[in-house]
Amino acid sequence: MELSRRTFSALAGTTALGLALSGSGTGGNSAYATHTAPTGPAPGPPAADGQQHTVGFDRYSLVVDGRRLVLWSGEMHPFRLPSPSLWRDVLQKMRAHGYNTVSVHVAWNYHSPAPGEYDFTGVRDLDLFLRTATETGLYVILRPGPYIGAETDGGGFPGWLTATAGRARTADPTYLKHVDAWLTEVNAIAARHLFTRGKGSVLLYQIENEYDADATKGTGRAYMSHLYRKVRADGIDVPLFHNDGGRNGHWMPGSFDTGGEKGRWLYGFDGYPAPDGTPPDWGHFGTGGAKGGSTASPKTPGFLPEFGGGRFDPWGGAAFRGKGYAEARRTRDAAYERRFHFTNLANGITLHNVYMTFGGTSWGWLPAPVVYTSYDYGAAFDEARNPTPKLAPMHQLGHLLQRVPDFAKLDRAPRVRAGDERLKVYHLTNPDTHAHVYVVRNDTDEAISSPLPDAGIDVPVRVPARDARLLATGLSMGGDRRLKFATVEPTMFLKAGRQDIVVFSGRYGEMAQIVVECPEEPTPARLDAEVAWVFDRGLLRITAPLGVGGLSRILVDGGGSDRQLLILLADDATALRMWPYDTPSGTVLVYGPSLVREVSLQDSTVHLTGDTKAATGIEVWGPRGITQVTWNQKVVPTRISASSSLMNLQLLPGVAPVTLPSLDGGWRRKNGNPESAPGFDDSGWTVAGKKTSYSTTPVPKGQPVLFADDYGFHYGDVWYRGRFQQDLAGVESLSLAYSTGTQGMLMAWLDGRPLGTHRMPVPDESAARQGNWAAEATFDVPAQVRGGQGAGGSHVLSVLVRRMQHDQDGEALDTHKAARGLTGVTFKDASPKVRWRLQGAAAPDPVRGPLNNGGLHGEREGWHLPEYGDGDWAAVKLPREDDRRQGVTWYRKSFRLAVDTGIDASVGLVLEDDPSRAYRVQIFLNGWNLGQYINDVGPQHTFVLPNGILRTRGANTLALAVLSDGTTPSGPGKVRLALLGSAAGGVPVKPL
């Protein structure tokens, strides 16, 4: 049960409900004279309202339409969630949990299969994503590169760019020609969604990403200037910025030519501190200077375009000792988020972007070599779109920064010491309201309780081990009432009818102490048994154990205001079920459900949509005059409580059980490497006849170019067939040189006989970021070929290369152009002239895009597609038979799901087997390439099947392309479906 039944037992009252609290200051009208912008209410949620808007900034914060705005942003990538319906789901969850902004990379390779070709339809519909963000009420930070990094193939560069002239990420004119074509396309869409024009919510725009290699060189300055001018020429008029890859002081205002435009460029930097370290001071409390973080640009606000909300994990799982992203989330938990984000706030950071907030899936051939399929990242929302416990501080801090304007304008204040000097204390103050903010951090391994006498906090404040507190004094509590201090975090301040509502939160079981200065004696009313209070000498002291019985309430009349003060006390889990939502008629606060997605007011009715997991109550505060509540379009019987809320009389139902079918039977199988047979017809394949290449990999002397990219095969597996005349009687071995990304592999056959398999090593932590791997595989020539029929005649050498992906060009060295595929062949004691043909992926899938398919025979023939007829394939059972063979084997199975309408069920595919078995699986669901599983490498075993691709009510086709080296039994082993999360509610999902 999500909301305690106790809270519905005896509360009664008749007070109406009201509007959002404005905070401690007043508004302003200045657009760009930002030094005059006073502390006051933040601007409301963005909308496509058709009105002109202004966006400026000063050293404190952004200033939007003359009002200060603190950005609390989360990163998500629509290309990592290939189901446009689910974009709305994630964006609604972000907004509900306190984020007011979403940051978005746009991957060039995802939209451009060939030079001059651009596709923004279907899952690539950027216009739809930006519309959805605006409809959700989120600002957008748009980051279209041209280079994005982001652990994507080639750092987001299209595969075809590897085969072009010109050094990337410089002012080379050939490269810039391609860049301009890309920016023209993406900026035409962005311009339709600019917040400044009232068309949408694009608020900031990034050019390039972590571009440090040429920061001190003319070519780098010319490159950045070109990008700046191009973006402005395309009509993008919002502030621009770059994300400095660390604290280098690169690309500060004035560091390159912006065509005479001043005051429209922000300095930003990123940081990914390790959880076992001390949170760094990247701002006012740091060492300062160009390498001090935000101090590098003292006239612009502190801006973190990327702050680590987790970390990526490489093949083999070296980053987290093979435990995967669950370990990333454990080590970067809620306490980590509090310690590091509170420290950033104390250092003057008011533009926060958490990378990642929803990581998603690097499906198909999207991931850079350094990561496997899952991009869960240990983020606040997991790959299956479930909120995780680490959301608690993000939720609380996000809502606080939106609803208490004092935090948008803070100066460093005199040093304050705790009674126990093991606690580090940061002290800041608002120059307009004179409110004080304290970040109290515990970097030790034991909990510490201590008063802060210098701050006037005369009772012990408990800070758990390796955790932090955000405390405040002097905040307005409505009228002349002010917060003297609290030992727990302020979370939400708002207005409802004749009430001021203030929410405080902390850890479960803590004894919260709230002290309110009241110039007149108040009349408190304890609405829950856990709360105690006493008034003495102008101070109202309130105590309550957090979380015991759910939400605790105390109602205060008088005390210096003609408005009631409702104080709500919550532990972290309870605070995660409190949902403020701004409407044109005022603010609504909802308590109880696991998620509130949308709120609207019509006459006297509050219409709510959202999710429940367990049975729960619901409590609603809102504008005066509301008398009725609906939940997901059904009327909820309510009554008025003593706290002037509408409280339901019956619990909302939870989610019904979800049953998934077994995948044990009904499999069909077919061998998938006919290319290895000598008689295979390769006459339609591409002839490898090129002599030169733009690749950074040298072409072996005397041999043709074999690099797959030079022949237009940019993604997935590549087959080679080489014909030659040679007497092999004395030839004992041959060597095949090849180049791939991490965990690439090569298989070879000579005259149809397996030569063997070679694979790149599993990277340890020191090699986890290495994206280019080259090796030479030497194979013995089989005796049957050396001495058998045809030994002195013509031969066919067949080679399959799993090329993996292109390296990210992080240092601007064109490393994305390193060869992929076979690079050369040599024979011991022989020099035959080999005539090569090669074949990779066919034309890009018009629906699924260029990154979906590779060059396996089954992919070229459509074996992965649901409409393919497999009736003549052999019937098999899993776990598979004890079959050892080198090559490719395909398995297909159909299954049906019947998830009840109104249930959002997230389903995953789980593959399990003895880790000593050497095989890998490419997973296709309904034709979509959803990832790669490597049984003896890992660490990933569960693959999310996004709704929309997965038919939760209907038929589905699963196809598994298995590559085995023949040394162990071929896969797959156990294959099953797993329920990764479910809720009653969700969003309507359109099948793809």
Side-chain angles (χ1 to χ4, degrees):
M1 182 171 62
E2 295 182 328
L3 181 56
S4 171
R5 292 176 186 268
R6 176 188 60 77
T7 63
F8 298 94
S9 59
L11 299 179
T14 58
T15 305
L17 309 177
L19 303 173
L21 186 68
S22 62
S24 304
T26 58
N29 297 316
S30 174
Y32 302 119
T34 50
H35 62 281
T36 65
T39 300
D49 56 10
Q51 304 297 313
Q52 297 291 309
H53 297 278
T54 58
V55 183
F57 52 84
D58 63 6
R59 69 184 183 91
Y60 292 110
S61 71
L62 290 180
V63 178
V64 174
D65 294 335
R67 296 185 174 192
R68 294 198 174 276
L69 175 68
V70 177
L71 282 194
W72 187 244
S73 173
E75 186 89 10
M76 77 159 290
H77 300 152
F79 55 79
R80 284 190 160 112
L81 183 57
S83 177
S85 300
L86 297 183
W87 298 344
R88 187 177 300 275
D89 173 73
V90 173
L91 292 173
Q92 287 181 343
K93 287 173 178 173
M94 289 176 61
R95 192 225 63 83
H97 282 288
Y99 296 90
N100 61 5
T101 307
V102 59
S103 176
V104 184
H105 272 313
V106 187
W108 188 358
N109 57 7
Y110 193 56
H111 297 276
S112 182
E117 295 183 18
Y118 297 95
D119 187 351
F120 288 90
T121 64
V123 297
R124 296 165 296 282
D125 192 341
L126 177 62
D127 189 89
L128 173 60
F129 180 87
L130 295 177
R131 289 202 311 273
T132 305
T134 300
E135 291 165 3
T136 307
L138 291 173
Y139 292 105
V140 174
I141 301 173
L142 196 64
R143 310 208 288 161
Y147 176 85
I148 64 170
E151 288 75 58
T152 56
D153 176 77
F157 283 157
W160 55 260
L161 195 68
T162 64
T164 63
R167 181 183 162 204
R169 308 186 76 187
T170 71
D172 182 282
T174 302
Y175 167 69
L176 290 182
K177 178 186 69 174
H178 297 304
V179 166
D180 286 351
W182 160 244
L183 291 178
T184 295
E185 297 290 333
V186 74
N187 288 342
I189 298 171
R192 298 200 294 267
H193 297 272
L194 293 174
F195 174 73
T196 47
R197 301 181 186 178
K199 295 182 176 182
S201 58
V202 173
L203 188 72
L204 301 176
Y205 181 110
Q206 178 178 321
I207 61 174
E208 254 289 344
N209 187 50
E210 298 175 335
Y211 180 56
D212 301 331
D214 293 325
T216 60
K217 300 176 183 177
T219 184
R221 291 191 293 271
Y223 175 43
M224 291 293 284
S225 179
H226 179 94
L227 295 178
Y228 191 104
R229 292 168 183 251
K230 169 61 179 172
V231 170
R232 286 293 189 234
D234 286 345
I236 307 301
D237 61 1
V238 297
L240 308 181
F241 71 97
H242 168 267
N243 174 35
D244 188 358
R247 284 122 333 263
N248 305 299
H250 293 160
W251 311 120
M252 296 178 292
S255 60
F256 66 97
D257 182 10
T258 58
E261 185 176 67
K262 296 181 179 180
R264 307 294 290 152
W265 176 259
L266 288 161
Y267 172 70
F269 61 95
D270 65 21
Y272 292 84
D276 56 357
T278 301
D281 291 322
W282 286 337
H284 298 317
F285 285 89
T287 56
K291 296 184 179 295
S294 57
T295 55
S297 181
K299 294 183 179 180
T300 61
F303 185 11
L304 273 167
E306 294 182 20
F307 186 81
R311 187 192 186 280
F312 71 82
D313 196 24
W315 284 106
F320 302 110
R321 302 188 305 280
K323 297 180 180 180
Y325 287 116
E327 182 70 1
R329 191 169 287 109
R330 186 191 70 80
T331 55
R332 292 163 173 82
D333 60 3
Y336 165 89
E337 302 294 353
R338 278 189 293 271
R339 274 209 309 153
F340 285 81
H341 286 299
F342 290 176
T343 300
N344 288 339
L345 184 67
N347 273 267
I349 310 297
T350 58
L351 281 72
H352 314 252
N353 180 52
V354 183
Y355 187 106
M356 298 291 297
T357 294
F358 169 75
T361 305
S362 298
W363 59 283
W365 298 105
L366 175 67
V370 295
V371 291
Y372 47 89
T373 297
S374 175
Y375 201 67
D376 175 282
Y377 217 78
F381 296 96
D382 68 20
E383 188 181 1
R385 300 177 288 111
N386 297 307
T388 68
K390 69 182 289 180
L391 256 176
M394 324 299 273
H395 179 102
Q396 295 156 15
L397 185 55
H399 286 301
L400 176 71
L401 295 176
Q402 290 184 53
R403 299 184 180 279
V404 182
D406 306 70
F407 287 86
K409 189 178 183 181
L410 293 174
D411 288 324
R412 185 176 180 177
R415 182 180 179 185
V416 167
R417 291 183 173 88
D420 189 323
E421 293 204 2
R422 291 178 297 171
L423 294 176
K424 182 176 179 63
V425 182
Y426 299 83
H427 179 203
L428 303 103
T429 187
N430 184 294
D432 299 333
T433 67
H434 307 295
H436 291 260
V437 174
Y438 304 91
V439 170
V440 186
R441 201 178 72 215
N442 180 3
D443 295 325
T444 77
D445 292 325
E446 60 180 282
I448 298 174
S449 294
S450 173
L452 276 72
D454 293 349
I457 302 177
D458 55 4
V459 298
V461 175
R462 184 178 186 276
V463 186
R466 304 186 70 78
D467 208 330
R469 289 280 189 207
L470 178 65
L471 307 178
T473 64
L475 296 178
S476 172
M477 302 281 278
D480 294 328
R481 298 176 300 231
R482 301 193 78 81
L483 178 66
K484 171 75 171 173
F485 69 80
T487 62
V488 289
E489 286 95 4
T491 299
M492 299 176 196
F493 285 41
L494 50 91
K495 287 183 182 289
R498 296 186 178 91
Q499 290 183 330
D500 297 326
I501 301 178
V502 181
V503 181
F504 293 92
S505 61
R507 317 297 82 78
Y508 177 84
E510 291 179 333
M511 184 60 70
Q513 299 190 56
I514 315 296
V515 180
V516 182
E517 295 178 332
C518 300
E520 303 171 5
E521 183 170 359
T523 304
R526 183 177 63 182
L527 304 183
D528 290 298
E530 296 81 14
V531 183
W533 63 270
V534 63
F535 181 75
D536 182 40
R537 288 177 290 187
L539 298 179
L540 175 63
R541 295 179 180 268
I542 301 166
T543 60
L546 296 183
V548 178
L551 187 65
S552 297
R553 308 162 179 81
I554 183 169
L555 190 63
V556 181
D557 279 300
S561 175
D562 58 358
R563 294 171 57 81
Q564 288 185 324
L565 171 63
L566 176 64
I567 297 178
L568 305 176
L569 303 168
D571 69 327
D572 291 337
T574 301
L576 277 170
R577 300 200 314 277
M578 304 194 73
W579 314 104
Y581 203 105
D582 295 315
T583 77
S585 301
T587 298
V588 174
L589 177 63
V590 182
Y591 168 52
S594 58
L595 178 68
V596 173
R597 295 180 178 275
E598 295 179 312
V599 177
S600 63
L601 300 180
Q602 186 175 5
D603 298 326
S604 61
T605 300
V606 180
H607 299 282
L608 307 173
T609 64
D611 299 356
T612 59
K613 294 185 178 180
T616 182
I618 189 169
E619 191 170 0
V620 180
W621 293 266
R624 297 174 61 185
I626 63 169
T627 60
Q628 186 168 277
V629 174
T630 69
W631 176 257
N632 291 341
Q633 301 179 342
K634 294 182 179 179
V635 174
V636 178
T638 60
R639 59 186 176 84
I640 299 177
S641 75
S643 63
S644 299
S645 64
L646 292 179
M647 185 175 288
N648 66 330
L649 299 173
Q650 297 177 337
L651 297 178
L652 302 180
V655 62
V658 175
T659 302
L660 300 176
S662 169
L663 300 182
D664 287 346
W667 288 92
R668 293 186 175 274
R669 166 185 165 177
K670 187 172 184 178
N671 291 345
N673 51 283
E675 299 94 334
S676 63
F680 179 81
D681 181 7
D682 59 19
S683 60
W685 287 19
T686 300
V687 175
K690 295 186 177 184
K691 301 297 184 182
T692 60
S693 173
Y694 292 117
S695 173
T696 55
T697 302
V699 180
K701 185 177 180 180
Q703 297 198 36
V705 174
L706 296 176
F707 313 155
D709 286 300
D710 285 71
Y711 298 97
F713 304 125
H714 303 302
Y715 307 110
D717 299 289
V718 181
W719 273 99
Y720 296 83
R721 283 173 58 86
R723 299 180 183 275
F724 61 95
Q725 298 284 335
Q726 178 69 41
D727 184 349
L728 297 179
V731 179
E732 296 182 356
S733 64
L734 62 86
S735 297
L736 299 171
Y738 72 116
S739 177
T740 73
T742 311
Q743 278 304 288
M745 66 181 298
L746 173 150
M747 294 179 176
W749 293 259
L750 182 57
D751 296 344
R753 294 185 178 276
L755 296 179
T757 298
H758 188 278
R759 55 194 291 186
M760 300 299 179
V762 180
D764 59 18
E765 196 158 9
S766 66
R769 292 180 178 269
Q770 180 178 332
N772 288 320
W773 296 74
E776 187 170 84
T778 299
F779 301 111
D780 293 336
V781 175
Q784 299 92 328
V785 176
R786 284 189 281 119
Q789 184 178 4
S794 62
H795 302 276
V796 179
L797 179 59
S798 301
V799 182
L800 172 63
V801 180
R802 173 141 292 182
R803 46 171 294 155
M804 305 301 277
Q805 295 89 347
H806 304 92
D807 186 32
Q808 300 180 108
D809 188 17
E811 299 298 324
L813 297 174
D814 272 355
T815 57
H816 63 293
K817 291 184 177 181
R820 288 296 181 261
L822 197 61
T823 58
V825 58
T826 57
F827 292 78
K828 185 177 181 180
D829 300 324
S831 301
K833 182 178 181 180
V834 184
R835 303 179 305 279
W836 289 102
R837 291 179 182 267
L838 69 161
Q839 177 65 56
D845 187 306
V847 174
R848 300 166 182 90
L851 298 169
N852 194 71
N853 295 348
L856 293 179
H857 178 80
E859 291 176 289
R860 304 196 308 270
E861 296 294 319
W863 293 1
H864 60 300
L865 299 174
E867 60 268 23
Y868 180 82
D870 58 13
D872 60 344
W873 288 23
V876 294
K877 293 183 179 180
L878 296 182
R880 76 276 165 272
E881 302 164 343
D882 189 11
D883 174 35
R884 295 172 184 254
R885 63 180 298 271
Q886 174 181 295
V888 184
T889 309
W890 284 75
Y891 297 80
R892 281 173 55 97
K893 176 182 173 54
S894 295
F895 63 92
R896 297 188 66 87
L897 294 180
V899 178
D900 290 345
T901 302
I903 291 181
D904 178 10
S906 184
V907 178
L909 184 74
V910 182
L911 289 86
E912 299 169 312
D913 206 347
D914 181 342
S916 68
R917 302 186 191 274
Y919 66 88
R920 58 184 68 193
V921 182
Q922 206 68 29
I923 301 166
F924 294 90
L925 176 70
N926 297 328
W928 294 81
N929 181 351
L930 293 185
Q932 183 175 183
Y933 168 78
I934 306 182
N935 183 67
D936 56 342
V937 173
Q940 185 175 5
H941 289 268
T942 299
F943 295 79
V944 173
L945 309 178
N947 296 347
I949 291 175
L950 179 71
R951 273 64 166 169
T952 57
R953 293 186 62 80
N956 297 275
T957 300
L958 184 63
L960 307 178
V962 180
L963 275 66
S964 303
D965 67 9
T967 62
T968 65
S970 303
K974 296 180 180 178
V975 181
R976 60 182 175 86
L977 298 175
L979 183 64
L980 305 179
S982 63
V987 297
V989 176
K990 181 180 179 181
L992 293 169

